[in-house]
Amino acid sequence: MAKHILLIHPLGYTAEGKKTDIARLANLMPPLGLCSIAAYLDRQGCRTAIIDCFAHLDSDARIMEYLEEQRPDWIGLTCTTNGFLDAVRIVRMVKQARPEIKAVLGGVHVSACKEKILAEYPEVDCAVVGEGELPLTQLLQGAPLANIAGLVYRDDAGVRFTGLQGRGVELDDLPFPAYEKLRGYPEVYQLPIFNYPRHPNASCLSSRGCPYSCSYCDRSVFRRSFKYNSADYVYRHMQYLRQRWGIRHLNFYDDQFTFHRDRVVELCRRLIEHPLAMTFNCAVRAEHVDPELLALMKKAGCWMISLGIETGDPDLLAQHRQNADLDMLARVIHDIHRAGIRVKGLLMLGLPGETEESVQRSMRYVFSLPIDDFNLAKFTPFPGSPIYQKIHELGEFEEDYRKMDCMNFVFVTKGMTRERLEELFLEFYRRHFMRPRVLLGYLAMLWQSPHSWWRFLGNLSSFLRFARSNKRIEG
């Protein structure tokens, strides 16, 4: 008999921090993975619900109320490294009230740590490694645990791992994610400020995985596989979001939206021939775009493209990324700009091998390019990344899961100090925002993205506090 599961997206810090969390105020994204799993499980005859702790201040009370009223058999929690200990806290809270409930964990952190999760946390009953749809279906339908690929479980002999899954689900076979299970969707969820022209907006996924293996990327869930929805499926998904939810702008959260060029061409032609009155953003790798494709994407409604730069120092980039070619990146950024699409650069500060000079080179590189917006992350060595295995040899690493959110310098490379990295981080951001071209670009957002300005002014005190303190959460 299929069972009932409550799916939970844990927060990663105390509920009091929600009100001042700058990351949450600037960008609140729905838990797309849980929505996909819930829709798939429902189709298999299971019963599901979702509680997103990021979206609501009273999530602990909501969880306990749901347990009391609906009596689920399982709770399932998705875990980033930053959110993992909060997931464990929720499991303990639930089991204190309802000891008979089973708890299963999944997500990138769990997929990276595998048996270690059950070995160190006895309150966790099972863990899913890789995609969640098939293992959770089998688990809730009562299949023998030893026969479920991608499962970590206990038996009388100890902790067992059944081995990695194969290809898993075919993405076109999946139902659309169960957005309706998110309380307040889509209004409570927001893309990053100044990253969209119209409201309401949303995020979705049209592919899974990435075939590259950069030193800093966690590939524990999909490894180096890559699979994608067809252009027809993506168009129908967009159509559903437009008609059912009124979405006017969509962010494709894929790692490599344009990796399969033909499907992007087909999708864009469909959007041009049968418009949905939607614009969209996506992320690309420079090797997989060209002027012809960019012109087609612009015509189809592409508003902004994010591009991984990581660092503007060629020697440092070569240590961490495949096909490190800053000249090619620059050409592509100019191509995107000439196509009339906004460009967002994605960078990291504090990579192993970072120096004062490499940071200055990054600034000179970024400031020489027509980049409209950028995101500067603080390098974080996650357990599923290749560099994690030797990270202690490369510098000082404070492995505090709660701080591992790309907004804290938990790693300090040899030759640098945490204090100096913080100073350089603030200098990078301040110099970017003081450039006349950038200031004029944000001023243009008054008519290009008025909703962003409304959000910015409404949370101005929090953004100013962050600019002064460089702290994600006040207190």
Side-chain angles (χ1 to χ4, degrees):
M1 180 180 176
K3 295 185 178 179
H4 177 188
I5 186 168
L6 171 62
L7 300 168
I8 301 169
H9 184 206
L11 185 59
Y13 51 83
T14 61
E16 290 74 21
K18 283 184 185 178
K19 297 178 182 178
T20 61
D21 176 11
I22 192 68
R24 182 177 177 273
L25 292 173
N27 177 23
L28 184 57
M29 181 178 153
L32 298 174
L34 291 187
C35 291
S36 176
I37 288 169
Y40 187 83
L41 290 176
D42 285 350
R43 195 169 71 178
Q44 306 306 314
C46 303
R47 184 181 171 196
T48 66
I50 300 174
I51 292 179
D52 181 5
C53 301
F54 274 91
H56 304 287
L57 295 172
D58 57 348
S59 50
D60 275 9
R62 288 182 178 280
I63 291 168
M64 299 312 294
E65 181 182 352
Y66 189 89
L67 297 179
E68 181 64 28
E69 293 181 357
Q70 303 299 325
R71 315 294 288 184
D73 306 289
W74 287 82
I75 55 170
L77 300 96
T78 183
C79 303
T80 61
T81 298
N82 172 244
F84 172 71
L85 293 178
D86 193 44
V88 173
R89 179 194 66 81
I90 291 171
V91 171
R92 289 170 178 162
M93 175 184 74
V94 167
K95 292 212 166 191
Q96 187 171 7
R98 295 277 310 282
E100 73 279 9
I101 288 183
K102 300 292 184 182
V104 55
L105 271 56
V108 289
H109 184 79
V110 171
S111 293
C113 295
K114 299 181 181 68
E115 295 98 328
K116 182 179 177 182
I117 301 297
L118 267 66
E120 296 183 1
Y121 298 92
E123 51 274 278
V124 178
D125 296 288
C126 298
V128 169
V129 177
E131 294 178 309
E133 286 90 353
L134 294 179
L136 281 176
T137 298
Q138 294 173 290
L139 188 66
L140 268 61
Q141 290 178 342
L145 301 184
N147 295 345
I148 303 174
L151 193 71
V152 182
Y153 70 100
R154 293 187 192 86
D155 63 14
D156 293 340
V159 176
R160 304 280 191 182
F161 175 45
T162 59
L164 298 172
Q165 301 179 56
R167 180 173 172 81
V169 292
E170 294 298 328
L171 298 192
D172 273 14
D173 293 339
L174 294 177
F176 297 146
Y179 302 111
E180 69 278 0
K181 293 180 184 284
L182 299 176
R183 180 173 170 264
Y185 182 88
E187 288 78 10
V188 300
Y189 296 97
Q190 301 289 347
L191 293 179
I193 289 177
F194 304 121
N195 278 218
Y196 59 92
R198 296 185 288 181
H199 175 79
N201 50 68
S203 297
C204 81
L205 287 162
S206 74
S207 66
R208 293 182 181 180
C210 173
Y212 293 96
S213 185
C214 300
S215 73
Y216 41 79
C217 281
D218 187 321
R219 293 290 172 223
S220 53
V221 174
F222 305 115
R223 302 188 295 283
R224 293 184 65 176
S225 67
F226 181 79
K227 55 187 178 181
Y228 55 90
N229 288 118
S230 66
D232 177 69
Y233 184 101
V234 178
Y235 181 86
R236 288 187 290 106
H237 192 171
M238 295 176 72
Q239 188 177 49
Y240 170 72
L241 287 166
R242 183 75 181 101
Q243 294 176 352
R244 170 68 174 83
W245 300 105
I247 300 302
R248 301 176 69 200
H249 179 81
L250 189 61
N251 178 54
F252 287 103
Y253 205 67
D254 307 33
D255 289 333
Q256 303 287 346
F257 182 71
T258 60
F259 185 77
H260 193 284
R261 190 181 190 280
D262 289 347
R263 76 138 188 172
V264 179
V265 169
E266 184 181 346
L267 173 64
C268 289
R269 287 176 177 163
R270 184 94 173 260
L271 289 168
I272 293 166
E273 293 169 5
H274 304 282
L276 296 174
M278 293 174 72
T279 49
F280 66 91
N281 296 350
C282 62
V284 307
R285 192 168 166 115
E287 296 93 320
H288 302 293
V289 288
D290 54 73
E292 182 183 2
L293 181 62
L294 290 168
L296 190 65
M297 291 170 66
K298 170 65 176 178
K299 193 174 180 181
C302 185
W303 190 76
M304 186 172 78
I305 288 178
S306 298
L307 191 75
I309 299 171
E310 317 314 345
T311 174
D313 182 283
D315 297 330
L316 182 60
L317 189 62
Q319 295 176 38
H320 297 284
R321 177 175 173 148
Q322 293 172 276
N323 198 19
D325 187 340
L326 288 172
D327 290 337
M328 177 189 64
L329 278 168
R331 287 195 302 272
V332 169
I333 288 169
H334 280 287
D335 288 341
I336 296 170
H337 178 71
R338 278 191 291 267
I341 300 171
R342 287 176 60 81
V343 186
K344 183 173 184 177
L346 309 176
L347 294 103
M348 279 186 281
L349 198 148
L351 282 161
E354 188 86 86
T355 63
E356 292 257 359
E357 179 55 29
S358 67
V359 177
Q360 296 300 326
R361 285 180 182 171
S362 283
M363 291 189 204
R364 290 194 294 270
Y365 180 79
V366 169
F367 299 160
S368 72
L369 296 169
I371 290 175
D372 300 287
D373 196 1
F374 88 143
N375 183 69
L376 182 63
K378 298 176 179 179
F379 166 72
T380 303
F382 291 108
S385 63
I387 204 160
Y388 178 83
Q389 302 303 321
K390 58 178 181 180
I391 197 65
H392 290 283
E393 304 169 18
L394 303 173
E396 173 194 337
F397 179 30
E398 179 190 6
E399 195 166 6
D400 182 342
Y401 290 164
R402 293 182 180 88
K403 296 180 180 179
M404 293 173 68
D405 58 1
C406 296
M407 297 188 74
N408 293 282
F409 284 115
V410 293
F411 172 81
V412 179
T413 188
K414 290 180 179 179
M416 296 291 280
T417 65
R418 183 171 285 105
E419 292 73 23
R420 185 56 183 149
L421 287 171
E422 295 283 7
E423 291 171 355
L424 290 166
F425 180 85
L426 286 174
E427 180 186 348
F428 207 148
Y429 260 112
R430 286 169 179 162
R431 286 179 61 183
H432 168 74
F433 285 110
M434 291 306 293
R435 295 162 61 210
R437 182 185 177 279
V438 172
L439 288 172
L440 288 172
Y442 284 115
L443 185 62
M445 288 293 140
L446 283 169
W447 59 89
Q448 291 182 14
S449 184
H451 188 266
S452 286
W453 269 105
W454 177 82
R455 288 173 60 201
F456 179 76
L457 294 174
N459 295 288
L460 184 59
S461 61
S462 296
F463 291 119
L464 290 175
R465 174 192 57 77
F466 176 70
R468 290 192 299 266
S469 70
N470 195 18
K471 292 182 179 179
R472 175 179 174 179
I473 298 172
E474 189 173 4

